[in-house]
Amino acid sequence: MTTPSQPLSSDALLEKPAGDLATDVVIVGSGMGGSVAAWALRDSGLNVLVVERGDFLPEEPQRGDARAVHIEKRYANAEQWYDGKTGKPFSPGVYYWVGGNTKLYGACLPRFRAEDFARTQHHDGFSPGWPFTYDDLEPFYSQVEELFEVRGNLGEDPTEPRHSSEYPAPALRHEPAIENLAERLKRQGLHPFHMPNALNVESQADRELEAISDGAPSAGGLKGDAENRALAPALASANVSLLTRTRVVEVLTTEDGTTTTGVRATRDGETFTISATTVLLCAGAVNSASLLLSSTSAAHPDGLANSSGLVGRNYMVHNSTFFMGVKPWRKNRTAWQKTLGVNDWYLAGRGRTYPLGNVQMLGKLRGAMAKGVRPLIPMFLLNFVTNRTVDLYLTTEDLPAEDNRVRLVDGKIHVDWTPTNLKPHDELVTEVSRAVRRAGYPFILTERMGIATNSHQCGTAVAGTDPRSSVLNADCRTHDVDNLWVLDSSFFPSSAALNPALTIAANVLRVMPKIVASSVRQP
Ligand SMILES: Cc1cc2nc3c(=O)[nH]c(=O)nc-3n(C[C@H](O)[C@H](O)[C@H](O)COP(=O)(O)OP(=O)(O)OC[C@H]3O[C@@H](n4cnc5c(N)ncnc54)[C@H](O)[C@@H]3O)c2cc1C
């Protein structure tokens, strides 16, 4: 390995000097996991370099333009991946920007339920327990809620786990159409609640400004994301630096393969080494697994940290359906729709021995968004229908299966995916159809998401206590390689049925003391 050369300081924010670099901790990826890791290390005394393949997302009017986002796909910048079954390429629903997927996420930040951490009976089998409990993670959920100023109300959702602190701010209010929906669901004995959300809007004008920012960048800068909430304050610290437009292509180890020594990266055609005593992989579940699989050596011929053979396997992504209730005679004028959730089917019960999943709102659908998936339908018709819908997002937990996996073929990402646990998902769609019809929306349209809707990807390097059945230990350090940690959703032993970002971030804070204790400050 090349001798470490230029030590980094925050001066190295964008300008990379020629040649190799050295730091104490290198973080691969600046999404939810990577940015929160940088934030947690900001006062550690360790030199930290965040390496991000994407650039800063431009400040420009197109951020709030549904046509630019959904038809022209202005911000979709990931390479093509391949469906392992058909060999056909597809455009994955991931984004390579500083801040990662959170630049386009919907900012719904619920905690997983306490039951999600235990072995759970599902329709198609069991989802495994986690190597730590909800109570272990609870204080860190509170810290992340504080950091992201999550808005929510306690006491509304019967499945809500124990909270040691209130939400930092009250929940976003429902707009009239959603308030009406909530009332009508309550009358059916359901328990709609205000969905925890990190959208910092006060006025209706704010909401209009951010109206399309679920699946699009924030037009008004009011969405709390990994960049503005975690990375920016981290970069204010002199010991944290960021290198953009730099792709990590290999994780390096000592010759015997027992300890990581840094990474190899490329930028503007130059390949160089970043030596580090600690490497944190936060590239997203598919990219982190791909990096491990491509980092082969004599000591790790099947990919780094892969003595279990499980790197890339157990890929999970949720069964999800976009669901529209149509009321042809009334327009839905809601700007920010993502204020309501329903967990009445989240746990076993209501006559079933298995869970069905979570119900929440999508960002208000617009004609241009539908045009992105239904290009042949005339725009006026799409506008007519979407102006008269409430739009929901239904998710059911999918179960880990070793044959659902990420593979590399000639350096390209292939995803083998056969959905599991589909029957409860169909039952969820049936239950919600009945409830939404009774709530005054006589027509229902649904669309189940396919292989490209993988924004909730997880499980490709599961954490556990047994090195034969897991890639990471309970602290998310690889069993096989010292000082190599995976801090994105790769570690999830099960996918739960809720949005993953808050859990990714809370877990980073949970394991950070161990990382700091084992990291060496280089002279
Ligand atoms: C449209 C959309 C809506 C969503 N809505 C929600 C929501 O409301 N709530 C929620 O909880 N979750 C939501 N999600 C999911 C959420 O954004 C992700 O779960 C979360 O961002 C994952 O964090 P991460 O750190 O694992 O990865 P990411 O946020 O994906 O970050 C990974 C980063 O690593 C970089 N990278 C990848 N490979 C390399 C490499 N080789 N070298 C250097 N850098 C690399 C990428 O460019 C990226 O910036 C949504 C996602 C999308 C796409």
Side-chain angles (χ1 to χ4, degrees):
M1 198 188 122
T2 328
T3 318
S5 42
Q6 343 242 355
L8 286 154
S9 73
S10 56
D11 299 334
L13 186 59
L14 286 173
E15 288 308 315
K16 183 203 163 291
D20 295 329
L21 302 171
T23 187
D24 300 328
V25 181
V26 66
I27 299 176
V28 182
S30 67
M32 194 53 141
S35 288
V36 172
W39 180 83
L41 286 164
R42 72 199 184 289
D43 296 326
S44 65
L46 295 158
N47 282 318
V48 178
L49 176 62
V50 183
V51 182
E52 168 55 53
R53 72 193 287 173
D55 208 338
F56 289 99
L57 202 143
E59 295 286 347
E60 55 182 16
Q62 288 91 334
R63 282 172 169 235
D65 177 350
R67 170 173 286 277
V69 176
H70 294 283
I71 298 177
E72 294 157 17
K73 313 253 182 240
R74 187 173 179 84
Y75 302 104
N77 57 2
E79 77 281 33
Q80 299 247 284
W81 295 354
Y82 293 82
D83 182 331
K85 275 192 205 159
T86 63
K88 288 196 178 140
F90 67 92
S91 297
V94 295
Y95 299 89
Y96 298 153
W97 297 103
V98 173
N101 276 342
T102 70
K103 294 309 289 181
L104 287 95
Y105 79 160
C108 282
L109 292 178
R111 299 179 177 202
F112 283 2
R113 312 289 97 172
E115 292 81 354
D116 289 323
F117 295 79
R119 188 168 187 263
T120 304
Q121 169 82 65
H122 283 269
H123 181 272
D124 281 12
F126 283 91
S127 66
W130 290 34
F132 55 91
T133 65
Y134 173 79
D135 283 338
D136 294 329
L137 199 57
E138 199 285 330
F140 307 104
Y141 272 134
S142 291
Q143 282 183 33
V144 182
E145 284 165 355
E146 199 65 42
L147 182 64
F148 279 71
E149 281 185 73
V150 178
R151 290 159 171 260
N153 293 344
L154 293 180
E156 296 180 344
D157 174 8
T159 71
E160 182 83 61
R162 178 182 71 81
H163 280 236
S164 58
S165 58
E166 293 284 330
Y167 280 106
L172 290 173
R173 64 173 172 79
H174 299 315
E175 290 175 53
I178 306 308
E179 187 64 55
N180 181 271
L181 176 65
E183 280 309 314
R184 284 164 166 256
L185 293 176
K186 274 187 206 159
R187 275 186 235 149
Q188 298 173 40
L190 298 170
H191 301 83
F193 59 93
H194 288 81
M195 194 72 186
N197 200 291
L199 195 77
N200 188 17
V201 292
E202 294 296 342
S203 64
Q204 192 60 22
D206 285 349
R207 294 173 88 125
E208 300 286 347
L209 189 61
E210 295 293 346
I212 69 155
S213 81
D214 178 23
S218 172
L222 302 175
K223 183 162 74 176
D225 62 35
E227 183 196 357
N228 59 27
R229 290 285 165 182
L231 188 61
L235 290 172
S237 165
N239 64 316
V240 181
S241 307
L242 168 69
L243 207 51
T244 59
R245 297 184 296 104
T246 305
R247 182 177 174 194
V248 171
V249 291
E250 189 180 356
V251 181
L252 304 168
T253 65
T254 48
E255 210 172 318
D256 65 2
T258 57
T259 307
T260 181
T261 56
V263 299
R264 201 181 318 281
T266 63
R267 187 187 213 242
D268 296 337
E270 183 201 359
T271 300
F272 55 97
T273 296
I274 304 168
S275 66
T277 52
T278 298
V279 174
L280 310 182
L281 291 188
C282 307
V286 170
N287 274 305
S288 286
S290 301
L291 255 179
L292 291 173
L293 289 171
S294 62
S295 300
T296 53
S297 64
H300 297 278
D302 300 323
L304 198 54
N306 197 17
S307 63
S308 63
L310 291 176
V311 171
R313 293 186 183 269
N314 294 312
Y315 169 79
M316 294 169 277
V317 76
H318 284 159
N319 295 313
S320 55
T321 288
F322 281 22
F323 178 110
M324 284 143 280
V326 192
K327 192 187 282 187
W329 54 88
R330 172 124 358 126
K331 281 196 174 177
N332 175 3
R333 299 183 193 279
T334 306
W336 184 254
Q337 191 175 241
K338 291 176 76 70
T339 53
L340 178 144
V342 180
N343 273 338
D344 288 273
W345 298 282
Y346 196 85
L347 304 175
R350 302 174 75 91
R352 288 187 183 82
T353 55
Y354 49 87
L356 300 190
N358 165 261
V359 182
Q360 59 183 270
M361 306 306 293
L362 286 165
K364 181 71 205 83
L365 282 185
R366 320 273 154 181
M369 298 174 184
K371 190 80 177 166
V373 276
R374 287 280 180 273
L376 299 179
I377 303 182
M379 198 62 167
F380 78 89
L381 194 55
L382 293 172
N383 279 332
F384 180 88
V385 175
T386 55
N387 281 340
R388 289 159 177 82
T389 57
V390 282
D391 318 286
L392 292 84
Y393 182 47
L394 278 47
T395 41
T396 299
E397 179 159 349
D398 54 339
L399 304 181
E402 290 192 8
D403 288 342
N404 283 342
R405 62 188 291 208
V406 176
R407 290 180 290 130
L408 289 181
V409 180
D410 299 330
K412 295 192 163 40
I413 294 174
H414 286 234
V415 178
D416 297 341
W417 181 60
T418 304
T420 61
N421 221 21
L422 277 176
K423 184 164 184 291
H425 189 62
D426 292 342
E427 291 178 27
L428 183 64
V429 174
T430 304
E431 293 279 5
V432 177
S433 300
R434 192 177 301 136
V436 170
R437 271 199 200 96
R438 280 190 197 149
Y441 293 84
F443 302 107
I444 304 294
L445 303 169
T446 62
E447 174 97 9
R448 193 157 73 78
M449 296 296 105
I451 193 166
T453 305
N454 51 11
S455 51
H456 291 182
Q457 58 187 254
C458 62
T460 52
V462 289
T465 48
D466 183 349
R468 288 165 306 179
S469 57
S470 55
V471 178
L472 310 175
N473 70 13
D475 299 323
C476 294
R477 203 210 72 186
T478 60
H479 287 298
D480 300 349
V481 183
D482 283 345
N483 284 352
L484 173 59
W485 312 68
V486 185
L487 297 185
D488 51 35
S489 55
S490 306
F491 87 86
F492 285 16
S494 64
S495 67
L498 281 162
N499 321 57
L502 192 82
T503 299
I504 296 170
N507 180 62
V508 169
L509 300 188
R510 180 186 71 88
V511 301
M512 196 47 76
K514 296 268 177 51
I515 294 174
V516 172
S518 72
S519 296
V520 180
R521 201 179 187 319
Q522 303 200 88

